[in-house]
Amino acid sequence: MDVFDSYKNVIQKAVENDPLRKHRSYYGLGQPYVETNQDYLVKLRNELPGMELNESMKTFSKGMGGVSTLTYPSLGNHPDFSYLRGTGDSEDHWIISGFIDVRKSTQLFNQFTKGTVRLITESIVRASIFAVNLCGGYVHRIHGDGLMVYFGRKNMDKKQAVKDALKSFSMISYFVKNDLKDYFESNGIKDIHTRGGLDLGHSNQVSWFYSGIGDSGEVTTCSLHTSLAPKMQGNAKINGIVVGHHIYTQIGKDKYFDKRSNPIHDYGDGRVYNQYHFDWERYLVDIGLAVQKDNGVLVLTINALPTPGRNSDNLHNIASKSKPFFNNGEL
């Protein structure tokens, strides 16, 4: 299912019509270039999906039990805790913190005008925002070409929130690895990839509060596990996801997790907190959001009906001959 095609199409058009690419023989990489295609860039940007989803996105959303129009709350203001804005109050409540970004994206400036780079990164960011909101998450902050997000809310099952977070980050990783990688490489764009980190803090480990002065602030969390999530992101492999022990215990299936040899945190009293590489490709197949073709390529789908006798446990022979399946997203 081509759920991310609208974002990929904008990236392709931006790359193919980049002025610097067309006139590279006349302009050195270190020389300024006047971007003459501003009107085209504006028109192209309007092709990116907004609040209203296109037909393939609607089909995918409905298949996941969602709606045709998603709600995108304002940043830095989680709806369940927005009452804390501008106050000195706090509330303890569990939450899953996540960080995901695009790595090696700065090399894009070596090949394209800043307008094209802007459209490439914004397309990936918008696709990521779509995946987060589709899976019930909340985008807390945008960091250039990356996101800080939360999953979970009041009156929600914690395990379901963990599944939603893993599903969302798996979809984002899929988009960059499967939909964009080959196109990028065919255009001389090497090593662009995502890395993600997720961790769960329980209610006695998370404090929600308003951080800032006046309007210069956000409703955010103080938690060891919010602080550990970006460190896990930094430990992820290419197009990989690393999660904390609390995420691991909520799922309870070892086949998705490979414990890293080094713990992510030492409490200083003999206890440590472990981190795990998460096999998002296997997870997408098992939850019915993807199938793997005979050539090893993973394809997003809805309610996939596996071929009899074929599932993620016996795809090793196919995967080992083509695109790696059991490598935790490492290329």
Side-chain angles (χ1 to χ4, degrees), residues 53-180:
L53 308 182
N54 61 36
E55 290 306 313
S56 63
M57 295 167 74
K58 287 179 181 178
T59 301
F60 198 86
S61 177
K62 290 178 180 178
M64 291 178 59
V67 295
S68 59
T69 301
L70 298 179
T71 300
Y72 296 93
S74 60
L75 302 182
N77 201 41
H78 191 295
D80 283 356
F81 308 99
S82 59
Y83 75 93
L84 295 170
R85 175 170 288 277
T87 75
D89 299 331
S90 65
E91 179 179 350
D92 292 348
H93 191 278
W94 66 268
I95 201 69
I96 299 159
S97 302
F99 291 79
I100 193 165
D101 71 349
V102 181
R103 309 295 294 182
K104 301 292 186 72
S105 60
T106 52
Q107 67 173 296
L108 295 172
F109 288 97
N110 295 340
Q111 297 177 268
F112 306 109
T113 58
K114 65 180 184 297
T116 298
V117 175
R118 184 177 70 244
L119 268 178
I120 292 173
T121 55
E122 184 178 9
S123 296
I124 297 175
V125 166
R126 283 210 193 185
S128 301
I129 292 173
F130 161 70
V132 169
N133 280 271
L134 178 67
C135 297
Y138 167 74
V139 177
H140 177 67
R141 191 184 303 150
I142 298 175
H143 295 279
D145 54 14
L147 303 178
M148 175 185 176
V149 303
Y150 289 125
F151 287 88
R153 58 182 185 271
K154 296 180 178 179
N155 302 316
M156 181 181 187
D157 179 67
K158 192 180 297 183
K159 182 175 291 187
Q160 183 59 50
V162 169
K163 292 179 179 179
D164 291 343
L166 293 174
K167 186 189 308 178
S168 171
F169 272 37
S170 296
M171 290 176 63
I172 297 169
S173 300
Y174 166 90
F175 173 52
V176 175
K177 179 179 179 180
N178 292 73
D179 285 355
L180 296 183

Side-chain angles (χ1 to χ4, degrees), residues 292-296 310 315-323:
Q292 191 179 43
K293 296 183 177 179
D294 289 340
N295 62 0
R310 176 177 170 180
L315 286 179
H316 183 273
N317 291 333
I318 296 173
S320 63
K321 295 177 182 178
S322 49
K323 188 169 292 186

Side-chain angles (χ1 to χ4, degrees), residues 1-7 54 56-57 60 130 134 171 300:
M1 184 170 292
D2 303 325
V3 65
F4 290 117
D5 264 11
S6 295
Y7 305 101
N54 61 36
S56 63
M57 295 167 74
F60 198 86
F130 161 70
L134 178 67
M171 290 176 63
L300 283 188

Side-chain angles (χ1 to χ4, degrees), residues 213-226:
I213 300 175
D215 291 332
S216 298
E218 60 185 14
V219 176
T220 188
T221 53
C222 177
S223 173
L224 169 65
H225 300 281
T226 298

